[in-house]
Amino acid sequence: MSDLLTTDVLTALIAGGILAGVPLLFASLGEMVAERAGVLNIGLEGYMLIGAYFGFLVAYHGGNTFLGFLGGAAAGAAVSLIMVALCVQMGLDQIVVGIAITLVAEGATALIFDANFAESRPTLGATGRIDIPGLSQLPVVGGADTSDGSIFSQPPIVYIGLIIVALTAWTLRRTHWGLNIRAAGDKPSALDAAGVSVVATRAWATIFCGAMAGLGGAYLSITAAGLFEDFITQGRGFIAIVLAMLARGKALWVLIGSFVFGISLSISDVLQIAGVDISTDLVFMLPFVTVIVVLILFGRRSYLPAALALPYVRGAR
Amino acid sequence: GSDDSSSTTAASSAASIEKIAIAAPEKGNDYGWNQQGVEGATAAAESAGAEIDVADGSGYDDVEPVLRRLAQRGAKMIIAQASGYNTVAPKVAAEFKVPTIVFDSPSATTPGEVADVETSSQQGAYLAGILAAKTTKTGTLGIVISAADTNWFKQAGGFAAGAKSVNPDVKFKMAQIGQAAYADSAGGKRVTSQVIAAGADVVFGMGDGASFGMLQAVETAKAPAGADKVWFIDVIGDKTPIDKKGVLLSSVIWDFTKVYEQAIADIGAGTFGDQGYDLSVSNGISLLRTDHASDEVWAEIDDAQAKIASGEIDVPLTPDQAAVNALIK
Amino acid sequence: MSSETTAPSVTPGAGETAPVPALGRFAETAIRSLVPVLLALVAGGLVLLALGTNPITFYANVWSGGVDFTAWEDTIMRMAPLTLIACGLIFVFKAGIWNLGIDGQFLLAGAVIAGLAPELYGNMPDALMFFILFVVAGVVASVWTIIPAMLRAYYGVNEIITSLMTSFIGINLANILIKGPFQDAASNVPQTKAIPFTNLLPTIPGTRIHVGVIVAALAAVATWYAMSRTSFGLRLAILGANARAATHVGIPVARLIIVSFMVSGLFIGLAAASEIMGIWGYVRADWNPAFGLLVVPLVFLARFNAIAVIPFVAALALLTIGGDFATQEAGISNEFTLLLVGLVLLFMGVTELLGRNRNLGASYLQGIRRKVRVREETS
Amino acid sequence: MNEPIHNTTSRDHGPETIPVVELRGITKAFPGVLANDHIDLALRGGEVHCLLGENGAGKSTLMSILSGMVQPDEGDIRVHGEPTRLASPKRAIEMGIGMVYQHTTLVPTLTVLDNLMMGALGTFRLDEAGSRARLAEVAGMLGVDVDPDAETATLALGQQQQIEIIKALWRGSKVLILDEPTSMLTPRGVEELARALERLKGHGMAVVLITHKLHEATSMGDRVTVLKQGRVVGRLEPDELRGRSHDELQPVIVAMMFGEQEEAEPELVELQEHVVPVRGARELPREALLELVDVHVAPRGGELGVRGVDLSVRPGEILGIAGVDGNGQRELAEAIAGQRHVSSGEIRFQSLHIDRLSVWQRERMGLRYVSDDRMGEGTVAALPVGLNLVLKRIGQAPFWRRGSIRHAEIERNAREKIEEFAIRTPGPGTRIGTLSGGNIQKVVLARELAHEPKLVVYNKPTYGLDIVTTRTVRERIEALAAEGVSALVISTDLDELVALCDRIAVISRGRIAGIVENGAGAAQRVGELMVGGQAEVA
Ligand SMILES: Nc1ncnc2c1ncn2[C@@H]1O[C@H](COP(=O)(O)OP(=O)(O)OP(=O)(O)O)[C@@H](O)[C@H]1O
Ligand SMILES: Nc1ncnc2c1ncn2[C@@H]1O[C@H](COP(=O)(O)OP(=O)(O)OP(=O)(O)O)[C@@H](O)[C@H]1O
Ligand SMILES: [Mg+2]
Ligand SMILES: [Mg+2]
C-alpha cells in the first residue's frame, strides 16, 4: 500500500482524473446550458464524436493542437445546427433527432476514419502544457515534470475550460442572455411575451452545447488519447447528460461532478497499480451507485426546467 | 497440438478445397487479432490454391447470418475468428457440414465439423518478459490490459514469469482499463500514463483499439526516474508501420498461417476435428524481432523459445486475475 | 368566409373530426414511410459514391444480404427482440416516462437467465424451462426498473438520469455475474455455460425461426389493444398528456408510474429471453447489442402504435442483417448501417413536417403535432 | 428603455385626434371557428376602452393579434396612423403596446425583478440598480408596493397581477391591454386597479379592459365595444356612457351581448349581478354531511397550507369560503377531494373517515371537486370533449366493459351533456383544449355533476365566465342544493357568495377567521372578517 503514497502515483491520480474529467466537463457544461434553455440534447455523444474526429483531423493536418480544439468546437457547433433546425425551429421531437444525430455521427466518423486512417493510424504528440509559475513545482499538485501534468501544469485548454465554467455561471446569473436562457426553459411563453425570441435563445444555447461537446470530444482525441478511434467517446456523452442533470443547472456542480467522476475512474487505475485487487466493474459502478443511494436516502424533487424537451409554439392550445 | 511437419505436403494434396472463408469481428487492418487472422487465412488459402472469402468487420452480434452466408456461398472451410463465435459457429458447421475453426472452446471440437484453436500465447509473452527484464532500467515493468480477458491474463502471467526468470526482483505495475474497454483508447492512454508514472519503463500492453492509446501514452511519456526512455511491447500483430517514434520494443506475434494450413491438410486427410490445434511457439507464436535490443538478448530469447518448444521450460498458465496476481506480487 | 362559418359550432369537418378516407390514409402512410427511406438512401448513396462504392450494388447487397438464402429467417428472428422492446417502450413513453435504461435491463435479464438455464436444462421438460426462463427474464428486467420508477413516482427525480445510471450499473452487474457465479467452468473465455443449440427455443416447422417471433407478434397485438382500447391505456395516455389532471381524476399516479415502468421492463426482459433462448443459448461477457438506442426512435416514428412499429422494426432488422454483408462486399466499415439508420430518422422527421404542411394527414411525431396544428391554423 | 411615461394629457378625444392604435377589418379563423370577423376598433390615449362579450366571443384573440402573439388572416393595424405589421410580441412592445394576458406570463421560478428585466434591450449585463429604480417609478405611478426580490411563485395572484401590469408598462407603453384582470381580484383589489387605471389615463395612456363584470365596465370604461361570435355587435361612445348610471346602462349592454338569443328580456335584466337576491335561511337536516376537524395540510413551495380548520356542511347546504386568493383555499379543496394528504386532523364524509381514501374512492362516494384550474388539471387538452366528460369514470360501466372502451356510450353521453349544458363545440370529437374557457368550464361541471353527486367542492366556479354562463352555473348549484346536494363554494367574489350561500366562512392565512350566516348585513361582516383576519397575522 505504501506505493499509493508516492508523489508520482498521486500526481498520476490527479492527472488521470483531469484527463478523464475534462471531456465530461465540457460536454456536460454545454448540455446543462441547453437544458436550462429547454433543449435536451440526447445527441451529445454524437456532437462529441464529431468534435473528436474533426479536432483530431485539424490537429493532425494543421499540426497545432489549439487549432484542433477550435476545429472540434466548430464541428460540434455545426452538428448542433441540425438540432437547431429540426427541433428548435420546427419542433420535431428532441429525443428522436438526438438519437439520429448520435447514430449518424457514429456511422460517419467510423466510416471516414476507416477510409482515411485505418492503415496509417496516425497519433498526435503530447499536447503542450503551461506551467503556472511557482505552483507547478509543488509536489503532487504541481506536476511540471511529469507526463500528464497535475493541477498546475495543464494544457491551456484546461484552464480555458475553467474560465468558461466561471463565465457560464456568471452569464447565467447576471446577464440578459442568462436570464433569457433560464426563462426559455422554465416558461418560454413568458419569454416570448416579453419580446425575446424563444427560438433564437434556444438556438444559441444549443449551439453553445454543440461547441462545448465538440470541444470535449476534441480534448478526448487530441489530449486524452492523442489519436482517433471509432466510437472513441465510449458512451461518455450519456454520462455527461447524467452529470448535467445532476448539476441542477449550476455550472459549479458540473465542474465538481465531472472531476469526481474523472477521479473515481483514475482511482481504480491507481488502486490496481498499487496492487489492490479491485474489479473495474465495481469501481465504474461506484459513482452511479453512490448517486442512486444518495437519491434514495435524501431524494428530493430534482430540479429540471419545466419546459425541457418541449417544443415552443407561440399561442398553441 | 498437432504436428506441423506435414503442412507442405498436405497443402498440395488438398486439391478438393476450392474456397475457404473467414469471419472476423473487426476489420482486417487493425494491426492485431483480425489482421493476423485474415492474413493467416489468406496465406493458407494461397498455399492451398484456394479462393478466400473474407467477412471481416462482422461484429459479435449478427454473426450467424454471416457464417451461414459464407457456408452458402460455397466455403469448404470456415474460420470463425473470435472466441465470441464459438457457440454459433458449431451450430452453422453442423447444419451445413462445413469444417469450421473456432477459438477458445476445446469442448466444441467435433470430428469432421469443428476444430478448436487454443493459443499458448503465454509462451510468447514469456519471451517478451525476458526482453523486458533485459531492457528495463527502473526494474519496474508495466502490464496494461483493456479488459478482463483470459488471453490477456494468460499473457500477463507468461510475461511475469519470463521477466522473473531473468531478474527475480523485477516489480510489476498492472492495471486494467475497464471491463470491456477493448477499444477505449483514451482509457488506454490514461492507464498507461499512470503505470509509467508508477515507475514502469517497459509497458506490456494488451488491447484492441485501446492499444493505440497505450502506444500514444508511451510515445508521449516522460521517462520515470532512472530511465531515459519508455518502451512498449505489443501483442498479436505488428504495429511497426505506425511506430513513428520508435518506441515499439517488440510484439508477441500470433501467426495463424500454419495452423490454418494444417487444418486444410486435415480436411484433405479426413481427420479434421479429430483434435484441436494449439498455436504455440512451435507453429506461430513468436517475438517480433526489432533492433532495439542487442543480439545477445535476441540469442537468449531464441534459446528460451527452443526450450519452451521442447518442453524444457514450462510456462505457467494463468487464466484469471488471481493467478496473475499470485505471480506478480 | 361564408356566413355559416361564423358560429363556433359549425363546420365540424374542419380539423379535428374530419374523417380521412381509408385509401387516402393508407396512401399517405405509404408516402410518409417511403419518401424518407428513399431520401436517406439517396443521401447515403452520395456518401457511398464519395467512398468509391457503387450505391446500386451496395443497396442490392443490403437486400440480398437480408433476404437471400436463409437470411430472411435471420431478419425475421431479429425482429423479435426489437418488437418486444418497442412494446415495452410504448407503455412508458405513452405515459410520458423516459425509460432509457433499456440496455441495462436487457443485459441483466439476459445474464440471469443465461446463468439459470444450464441449471434447469435437463432437469425438466424444455417447455417448462423456457416458460420459467421467460418469466424470470421479465421479472429481472422489471425489477431493474424499480429504482428509477420509485424515485420518479415518490420523489419526482427525473427518470432519464436514473434510468441511464441504472443502465450503466446493470451492464456492469451483468458482466460481474457472467464472469463470477455464472462463468462456464469449462470455458476460458468469460461467458456462461451454453445450453446445446439443438435445445434452444422450438422453431416454426419448416424454418429456423424460433417461436420468440410469435411471442413478439402476440405482444404487439396485446400492446396495441391495451393502449387503444383499454382503460389502462387511457390512464397511461392521460398521465402522459397531463400528470396533474391524472391526479385530479383519481388516477393513482405513483402506482401507475411504477406499473408502467415495470411493464416496460417485463417486455424488455422477454426480448432478452427470446434472443438468448432463441439464438444464443448463453451470454458472453461484454455482449451488448445495444438495441435500446435503435428502438427508441422507431417507437416515436410509429407514434406509440405497437402495430405500426412493426414495419419500422422490419426495416431496421433488414438493414442490420443485410448491411453487414453489403459493407463487407464494399469493403467499407459496417458502421455505415448506423449512418443509414440515422439518416432515415432525420428524413422521416423532415418529411413528416413537410407532409403536414401540405396537409398529408396526421403526423407521426408527438412533438410536431402541436406545432403543425398551429401552422395550419395560422396559414 | 426606461423612458419616462409621457405626461401629455389629451383629455379631448374628438374625432380629429388620431387614435393611438386602430384595427381595421381584423379577421382570424381557427379550425371550425371564426374567432374574429372583420373587427374595427380604435384605441385613444387617456381612455379606458372596455371590451365585452360572452365566452369565446373572440376578445382574447383580438388582443393577442394586437400584442403580436397571433397573426390575423385579414385586416390592418395602424399605430399612430402608420400601417404596422405586428409580427411578433417584440414588435408590439417596440410599438408601445403592453399586454397583461388572460393567463399569467410570469416565470414562476424567477424573482419579480428578473421577470421585469426580461426582454429589456440595450445592455448585456442585467442592470439591477437601474431596474430597481424603474420598478419604484412604475410602482409609484400605479400606487402599489412590491418586493423586487420575492420569488414570483410565492406571491398571491393579486400581487402577480400587479407585477404583470408593471411588466406591461415597463418599457414605456402607450397602450395597456388587460385581459380579464379582475376575475381573481377581491373587491378591494378591483378598487385599487381602478385607481391605478385612472392614473394611467392621466398619463395619456390608452387602456383596453376586458371583463365579464358589467359594473366594472360601466364604472371604469370611457368607451365600450361588445363582441359576439367574432363580430362587433355594439358600441357605446363616451358621450353615451357619460352621465348615465350603471342601472341605466346595464340593460343596454346586455341587450347588445345577448340580444339575438331567444332569451326573454325580463330574464336578461335579471342577469345584473346586484339584482340576484340575498338568500334567506332554509330548513336543513341537522347532522353534517361533511365534517372537518382541526385539519392541517402541509404547504408546498410558496403556499400557506391549512392550519387547523373546523368546518361542517349539512346535506343540501351551500357553504361559502370567502377570502383573498392564496390563503389556503386550494389546499383545503384538494385535501377534501383527496388530492393531498391531511397532515393532522380528520375529514368525515357521511360519518366515515375519509382521510385515507383515494380521490377515486371519494368520487365514488359522491364527493366531487370542480377545480379552479380547468386547463391545468381539470381537463386533458389533447383528449376530445367526449373523453374529458368521462375522465372520472375510466374503466366503469357503461363506458367501459371488461376494461374495453365503448365508444358509442361515450359519444351518446357526450351529445347528451353538450345539449344539456349548451357546450359550444364543433362536436364530441373536438380536442377540448381548443374550446374557450367558458366552454371548458361547462365540460368540467357536466362531468362533476353527473352520476349522483352528494357534495361538490367548487373552487371559483364562475371564474372567467360570461354572465349567462355564470348564471347557469349558479342556478345549477342552487338546483342541486334544493335536491339535497351540498356545495362548498370557494370564491373571491363576495357578491357571488352572498347570492348563493347559506353560510359563509372566511379563510385567512390557512385558518377559518369566522363563519357568518347569510342574510342582511352578511357581506359587511364577511368583509370585516377578511380584513380582520389579515390584520390578525400581518
Ligand atoms: N386507451 C384508450 N382508450 C380510449 N381512448 C383512447 C385511448 N388512448 C387514446 N385514446 C384517445 O382516442 C383517440 C384515438 O387514439 P390515438 O391517439 O391512438 O389515435 P391517433 O390516430 O394517434 O390520433 P391522433 O392523430 O389524435 O394522435 C384519441 O383522441 C386518443 O386521445
Ligand atoms: N389556438 C386556438 N386554436 C383553436 N381555436 C382557438 C384558438 N384560440 C382561440 N380559439 C377559438 O376562438 C374563439 C375565440 O376565443 P377567445 O379566446 O378569443 O375568446 P374570448 O372572447 O377571449 O373568451 P373568454 O371570455 O372565454 O376568454 C373560441 O371559440 C376559441 O375556441
Ligand atoms: Mg395518438
Ligand atoms: Mg379570453
Side-chain angles (χ1 to χ4, degrees):
Chain A
M1 288 296 277
S2 61
D3 277 1
L4 271 180
L5 300 174
T6 68
T7 54
D8 282 349
V9 170
L10 290 180
T11 311
L13 172 71
I14 294 174
I18 294 175
L19 279 178
V22 169
L24 294 174
L25 171 66
F26 282 122
S28 54
L29 186 69
E31 177 75 16
M32 184 272 285
V33 169
E35 279 177 14
R36 287 213 89 166
V39 185
L40 179 63
N41 286 278
I42 284 282
L44 205 63
E45 178 90 357
Y47 303 164
M48 286 184 84
L49 258 180
I50 295 279
Y53 182 74
F54 284 95
F56 168 78
L57 197 70
V58 172
Y60 178 64
H61 288 303
N64 178 330
T65 50
F66 200 76
L67 277 184
F69 292 129
L70 286 182
V79 178
S80 71
L81 290 178
I82 300 178
M83 191 79 183
V84 170
L86 295 185
C87 299
V88 176
Q89 273 275 348
M90 304 195 210
L92 287 187
D93 191 274
Q94 295 180 3
I95 293 192
V96 175
V97 174
I99 290 176
I101 288 175
T102 299
L103 294 177
V104 168
E106 286 181 348
T109 52
L111 205 60
I112 315 173
F113 178 75
D114 198 67
N116 293 331
F117 296 112
E119 304 291 335
S120 58
R121 295 276 175 173
T123 53
L124 303 169
T127 306
R129 304 203 303 258
I130 47 173
D131 294 337
I132 310 276
L135 296 176
S136 66
Q137 300 306 322
L138 293 173
V140 181
V141 293
D145 52 355
T146 60
S147 298
D148 290 303
S150 187
I151 297 174
F152 297 112
S153 175
Q154 285 292 329
I157 193 70
V158 175
Y159 300 123
I160 291 176
L162 297 179
I163 294 171
I164 296 177
V165 170
L167 275 179
T168 305
W170 180 80
T171 305
L172 281 177
R173 184 67 203 87
R174 297 277 166 217
T175 68
H176 279 289
W177 284 0
L179 183 56
N180 294 347
I181 283 173
R182 286 182 282 153
D186 275 332
K187 192 156 182 180
S189 59
L191 186 64
D192 193 19
V196 181
S197 163
V198 176
V199 168
T201 305
R202 289 183 163 185
W204 284 116
T206 304
I207 292 170
F208 175 75
C209 173
M212 285 295 108
L215 190 53
Y219 177 89
L220 196 62
S221 62
I222 296 172
T223 303
L227 51 81
F228 184 82
E229 175 72 23
D230 299 354
F231 306 112
I232 191 172
T233 46
Q234 298 264 316
R236 285 174 177 91
F238 291 96
I239 292 174
I241 292 173
V242 170
L243 292 177
M245 287 184 164
L246 288 173
R248 298 161 144 252
K250 298 275 188 286
L252 183 64
W253 279 102
V254 168
L255 184 74
I256 294 171
S258 308
F259 285 113
V260 165
F261 202 86
I263 289 282
S264 73
L265 285 180
S266 189
I267 278 183
S268 94
D269 307 336
V270 167
L271 288 180
Q272 292 182 67
I273 293 166
V276 181
D277 197 9
I278 184 160
S279 156
T280 51
D281 279 319
L282 280 175
V283 177
F284 186 70
M285 275 162 54
L286 270 184
F288 293 124
V289 173
T290 314
V291 170
I292 295 258
V293 169
V294 170
L295 284 175
I296 292 172
L297 293 182
F298 311 103
R300 284 292 165 263
R301 284 171 192 281
S302 62
Y303 164 79
L304 280 181
L308 183 63
L310 298 179
Y312 173 68
V313 182
R314 180 179 289 167
R317 282 207 184 183
Chain B
S2 58
D3 64 334
D4 55 319
S5 52
S6 60
S7 62
T8 38
T9 50
S12 49
S13 70
S16 58
I17 301 234
E18 309 95 43
K19 190 175 193 178
I20 69 171
I22 178 169
E26 307 288 340
K27 292 213 68 182
N29 55 5
D30 64 347
Y31 299 99
W33 170 265
N34 299 282
Q35 181 160 354
Q36 292 301 101
V38 171
E39 284 178 0
T42 310
E46 202 168 301
S47 66
E51 216 185 304
I52 176 90
D53 194 350
V54 178
D56 56 350
S58 296
Y60 287 97
D61 304 324
D62 294 327
V63 73
E64 184 168 346
V66 174
L67 294 174
R68 299 178 68 83
R69 170 170 295 275
L70 293 176
Q72 284 158 336
R73 300 216 304 182
K76 293 290 180 280
M77 178 175 98
I78 296 177
I79 301 162
Q81 183 83 14
S83 56
Y85 297 169
N86 63 15
T87 308
V88 172
K91 188 170 155 186
V92 176
E95 192 181 330
F96 291 92
K97 301 280 173 257
V98 184
T100 298
I101 290 179
V102 301
F103 288 80
D104 297 317
S105 182
S107 59
T109 301
T110 313
E113 284 178 15
V114 181
D116 172 59
V117 177
E118 291 296 297
T119 47
S120 294
S121 51
Q122 69 277 9
Q123 297 178 347
Y126 186 92
L127 305 177
I130 295 175
L131 177 60
K134 292 279 180 193
T135 309
T136 179
K137 299 272 171 38
T138 61
T140 302
L141 304 179
I143 302 173
V144 179
I145 61 178
S146 63
D149 185 302
T150 311
N151 274 313
W152 297 167
F153 291 133
K154 272 162 51 180
Q155 295 185 97
F159 179 78
K164 284 194 160 176
S165 75
V166 175
N167 175 6
D169 296 331
V170 71
K171 289 206 170 48
F172 299 95
K173 300 293 175 193
M174 177 167 176
Q176 177 184 332
I177 302 166
Q179 208 48 50
Y182 291 97
D184 184 358
S185 40
K189 177 175 173 185
R190 187 187 76 238
V191 174
T192 307
S193 297
Q194 284 170 334
V195 165
I196 295 167
D201 65 339
V202 179
V203 177
F204 183 46
M206 291 157 272
D208 296 332
S211 300
F212 297 105
M214 300 177 195
L215 187 61
Q216 206 271 353
V218 171
E219 284 173 358
T220 58
K222 189 191 145 294
D228 47 12
K229 175 162 188 167
V230 186
W231 294 101
F232 186 61
I233 302 179
D234 190 27
V235 293
I236 303 178
D238 177 6
K239 292 196 176 59
T240 314
I242 59 165
D243 174 32
K244 306 271 170 17
K245 303 267 164 58
V247 296
L248 187 69
L249 183 56
S250 183
S251 176
V252 177
I253 300 288
W254 303 11
D255 181 352
F256 296 101
T257 313
K258 287 190 182 149
V259 166
Y260 296 158
E261 284 174 356
Q262 181 63 40
I264 294 171
D266 289 348
I267 293 171
T271 57
F272 183 88
D274 289 351
Q275 59 191 146
Y277 303 98
D278 182 22
L279 184 73
S280 67
V281 287
S282 38
N283 65 350
I285 297 279
S286 63
L287 203 58
L288 176 72
R289 192 161 303 236
T290 62
D291 47 17
H292 297 313
S294 65
D295 289 343
E296 297 90 82
V297 174
W298 286 116
E300 212 170 306
I301 289 168
D302 288 340
D303 181 47
Q305 176 160 2
K307 283 187 178 144
I308 294 170
S310 69
E312 199 175 320
I313 295 178
D314 185 29
V315 181
L317 185 67
T318 55
D320 53 31
Q321 181 76 55
V324 177
N325 284 348
L327 265 182
I328 65 174
K329 289 256 166 71
Chain C
M1 284 280 164
S2 64
S3 60
E4 289 96 323
T5 55
T6 52
S9 56
V10 282
T11 58
E16 306 303 322
T17 47
V20 182
L23 186 67
R25 200 168 178 162
F26 178 80
E28 286 164 23
T29 311
I31 291 171
R32 277 205 316 276
S33 309
L34 285 179
V35 169
V37 173
L38 288 177
L39 288 175
L41 291 182
V42 170
L46 294 177
V47 176
L48 287 172
L49 276 180
L51 293 171
T53 301
N54 179 346
I56 310 273
T57 326
F58 182 89
Y59 291 133
N61 281 338
V62 171
W63 176 258
S64 80
V67 174
D68 278 4
F69 296 117
T70 52
W72 63 275
E73 292 170 331
D74 296 297
T75 302
I76 288 178
M77 286 191 284
R78 166 54 43 84
M79 287 173 64
L82 299 179
T83 308
L84 283 164
I85 292 174
C87 291
L89 293 182
I90 287 170
F91 281 95
V92 271
F93 288 178
K94 185 95 178 183
I97 299 167
W98 292 107
N99 176 10
L100 295 185
I102 305 147
D103 292 342
Q105 291 149 23
F106 182 90
L107 290 176
L108 196 59
V112 169
I113 59 162
L116 189 62
E119 306 295 324
L120 303 184
Y121 175 66
N123 295 332
M124 56 180 65
D126 278 2
L128 179 60
M129 172 181 82
F130 290 129
F131 179 74
I132 293 176
L133 292 176
F134 269 79
V135 170
V136 170
V139 169
V140 169
S142 74
V143 164
W144 202 243
T145 65
I146 283 185
I147 292 174
M150 303 250 275
L151 283 173
R152 159 79 197 258
Y154 295 118
Y155 297 121
V157 178
N158 181 282
E159 72 283 2
I160 296 183
I161 324 177
T162 49
S163 65
L164 277 175
M165 287 200 292
T166 49
S167 188
F168 297 138
I169 297 173
I171 293 170
N172 282 296
L173 206 54
N175 275 334
I176 291 175
L177 287 176
I178 293 165
K179 289 170 184 166
F182 299 157
Q183 169 72 43
D184 177 7
S187 165
N188 52 10
V189 285
Q191 66 176 44
T192 66
K193 196 157 180 279
I195 57 173
F197 55 78
T198 46
N199 290 67
L200 293 180
L201 276 183
T203 55
I204 298 170
T207 68
R208 295 188 297 123
I209 299 172
H210 61 76
V211 295
V213 170
I214 297 176
V215 174
L218 293 177
V221 174
T223 304
W224 169 80
Y225 186 82
M227 296 317 294
S228 65
R229 293 284 182 279
T230 67
S231 48
F232 177 63
L234 185 59
R235 289 194 184 101
L236 288 178
I238 292 171
L239 180 58
N242 183 343
R244 286 185 53 218
T247 309
H248 177 71
V249 303
I251 292 171
V253 169
R255 210 162 63 203
L256 194 64
I257 289 174
I258 293 172
V259 168
S260 76
F261 245 119
M262 291 186 70
V263 170
S264 108
L266 177 80
F267 279 97
I268 291 167
L270 294 183
S274 135
E275 182 73 357
I276 283 155
M277 290 305 123
I279 303 219
W280 298 96
Y282 75 108
V283 176
R284 194 163 48 76
D286 316 323
W287 177 66
N288 184 359
F291 288 143
L293 210 55
L294 293 173
V295 177
V296 170
L298 301 189
V299 172
F300 275 87
L301 293 174
R303 302 168 74 208
F304 311 140
N305 182 326
I307 303 291
V309 88
I310 290 175
F312 292 104
V313 162
L316 178 65
L318 180 77
L319 206 55
T320 53
I321 303 278
D324 275 345
F325 171 65
T327 50
Q328 272 155 20
E329 289 292 293
I332 58 175
S333 166
N334 71 342
E335 270 36 287
F336 183 77
T337 316
L338 289 181
L339 178 67
L340 215 50
V341 174
L343 286 174
V344 171
L345 292 180
L346 288 180
F347 282 114
M348 272 188 173
V350 177
T351 311
E352 188 58 24
L353 206 60
L354 299 177
R356 276 300 290 202
N357 283 347
R358 291 189 190 9
N359 211 2
L360 261 182
S363 118
Y364 279 120
L365 300 173
Q366 284 288 15
I368 54 182
R369 224 142 76 195
R370 268 166 285 164
K371 164 91 181 174
V372 163
R373 281 213 168 98
V374 171
R375 287 208 157 194
E376 269 175 6
E377 287 151 10
T378 48
S379 57
Chain D
M1 54 173 283
N2 291 4
E3 71 189 60
I5 289 177
H6 295 288
N7 254 327
T8 51
T9 329
S10 58
R11 277 277 163 201
D12 65 318
H13 16 247
E16 66 283 359
T17 54
I18 309 169
V20 183
V21 171
E22 207 179 349
L23 302 176
R24 288 191 191 159
I26 297 291
T27 298
K28 176 73 194 174
F30 291 116
V33 177
L34 194 51
N36 287 168
D37 185 5
H38 295 93
I39 294 187
D40 297 328
L41 194 72
L43 308 179
R44 290 161 205 279
E47 267 188 17
V48 173
H49 194 138
C50 277
L51 208 51
L52 303 179
E54 59 187 341
N55 290 126
K59 307 177 292 293
S60 296
T61 303
L62 187 65
M63 291 304 112
S64 297
I65 288 171
L66 199 46
S67 71
M69 270 283 171
V70 171
Q71 295 307 307
D73 300 338
E74 282 173 42
D76 37 61
I77 301 171
R78 283 159 197 271
V79 181
H80 297 297
E82 291 289 311
T84 310
R85 206 173 82 83
L86 299 173
S88 67
K90 182 173 182 214
R91 183 87 185 111
I93 292 169
E94 281 167 6
M95 297 311 296
I97 298 167
M99 169 110 173
V100 176
Y101 292 88
Q102 190 167 5
H103 304 283
T104 175
T105 59
L106 297 175
V107 183
T109 50
L110 297 183
T111 63
V112 168
L113 202 60
D114 279 345
N115 265 296
L116 293 171
M117 289 189 291
M118 195 160 71
L121 308 163
T123 59
F124 176 67
R125 269 196 72 166
L126 294 171
D127 176 14
E128 281 210 21
S131 301
R132 279 173 204 277
R134 173 73 180 157
L135 175 57
E137 183 187 346
V138 181
M141 188 171 84
L142 281 173
V144 296
D145 190 24
V146 287
D147 172 9
D149 298 312
E151 190 177 304
T152 317
T154 65
L155 298 178
L157 280 178
Q159 283 171 295
Q160 293 194 16
Q161 189 96 64
Q162 293 171 352
I163 294 159
E164 296 265 19
I165 296 175
I166 293 173
K167 199 173 132 190
L169 297 175
W170 193 254
R171 288 193 238 164
S173 309
K174 313 279 184 311
V175 180
L176 175 65
I177 304 165
L178 301 162
D179 194 351
E180 296 190 34
T182 57
S183 47
M184 280 289 190
L185 299 184
T186 54
R188 190 123 78 82
V190 177
E191 274 169 39
E192 281 174 19
L193 181 71
R195 274 201 299 276
L197 293 188
E198 260 324 299
R199 289 172 192 240
L200 293 178
K201 266 164 50 175
H203 287 284
M205 297 209 40
V207 178
V208 180
L209 179 70
I210 300 179
T211 178
H212 288 295
K213 294 176 183 157
L214 299 194
H215 65 96
E216 289 172 5
T218 53
S219 62
M220 294 190 233
D222 298 308
R223 206 182 276 271
V224 170
T225 297
V226 179
L227 296 188
K228 183 178 166 63
Q229 294 184 3
R231 272 175 292 184
V232 176
V233 291
R235 295 185 198 273
L236 289 174
E237 300 295 325
D239 45 345
E240 295 174 81
L241 280 167
R242 230 174 285 136
R244 290 167 81 183
S245 76
H246 173 74
D247 291 348
E248 284 176 84
L249 287 169
Q250 181 121 15
V252 180
I253 298 175
V254 168
M256 287 175 181
M257 289 173 73
F258 303 100
E260 288 170 25
Q261 272 157 355
E262 63 269 42
E263 269 134 325
E265 276 296 316
E267 253 181 280
L268 282 168
V269 177
E270 277 193 34
L271 288 172
Q272 305 166 21
E273 295 99 316
H274 297 293
V275 178
V276 180
V278 171
R279 284 183 73 100
R282 288 192 290 148
E283 278 301 316
L284 292 171
R286 279 281 103 209
E287 81 288 359
L289 179 64
L290 176 76
E291 240 185 318
L292 277 70
V293 183
D294 194 26
V295 167
H296 288 256
V297 178
R300 286 183 201 149
E303 290 174 347
L304 286 172
V306 173
R307 312 174 186 177
V309 163
D310 296 288
L311 275 181
S312 74
V313 186
R314 287 177 286 165
E317 186 180 29
I318 304 178
L319 176 68
I321 308 273
V324 178
D325 202 58
N327 271 286
Q329 288 98 324
R330 172 176 289 197
E331 295 93 305
L332 181 66
E334 292 191 353
I336 297 173
Q339 288 177 220
R340 283 199 202 210
H341 290 294
V342 169
S343 51
S344 71
E346 256 175 43
I347 303 181
R348 284 196 289 267
F349 184 64
Q350 295 179 310
S351 316
L352 288 168
H353 288 271
I354 59 167
D355 313 350
R356 294 263 156 262
L357 298 188
S358 66
V359 172
W360 177 258
Q361 287 164 318
R362 296 184 205 201
E363 203 269 352
R364 307 305 338 254
M365 291 175 74
L367 185 55
R368 302 293 157 75
Y369 173 37
V370 176
S371 165
D372 61 337
D373 189 357
R374 53 190 168 232
M375 316 266 232
E377 70 172 11
T379 56
V380 180
L383 290 188
V385 171
L387 277 178
N388 269 290
L389 279 166
V390 296
L391 278 192
K392 291 200 172 173
R393 296 270 131 185
I394 296 176
Q396 300 295 307
F399 308 117
W400 275 263
R401 279 277 157 77
R402 273 172 263 107
S404 286
I405 194 162
R406 303 183 71 223
H407 286 295
E409 282 299 326
I410 290 177
E411 167 113 9
R412 190 193 50 70
N413 174 66
R415 296 207 177 281
E416 204 179 288
K417 299 293 178 201
I418 289 171
E419 169 86 33
E420 184 184 345
F421 283 78
I423 300 166
R424 287 212 167 161
T425 166
T430 305
R431 282 195 313 142
I432 198 167
T434 63
L435 302 194
S436 80
N439 285 301
I440 294 175
Q441 184 75 356
K442 289 184 197 166
V443 172
V444 170
L445 282 170
R447 182 180 72 209
E448 299 302 325
L449 301 184
H451 307 284
E452 291 163 20
K454 295 209 171 62
L455 180 141
V456 186
V457 179
Y458 299 91
N459 196 354
K460 306 197 194 91
T462 60
Y463 160 49
L465 300 191
D466 63 38
I467 325 174
V468 171
T469 318
T470 300
R471 188 194 53 176
T472 319
V473 171
R474 290 184 189 165
E475 280 174 359
R476 260 179 209 283
I477 296 174
E478 289 182 319
L480 283 166
E483 295 167 22
V485 178
S486 315
L488 193 75
V489 181
I490 299 170
S491 179
T492 50
D493 182 348
L494 245 183
D495 295 338
E496 171 161 278
L497 294 175
V498 171
L500 271 178
C501 300
D502 298 298
R503 290 183 299 150
I504 301 170
V506 177
I507 192 167
S508 175
R509 311 215 56 100
R511 295 194 179 84
I512 297 296
I515 302 184
V516 176
E517 286 286 339
N518 202 356
Q524 177 89 34
R525 269 173 297 140
V526 170
E528 283 163 12
L529 277 171
M530 281 168 69
V531 176
Q534 269 180 311
E536 174 195 37
V537 184

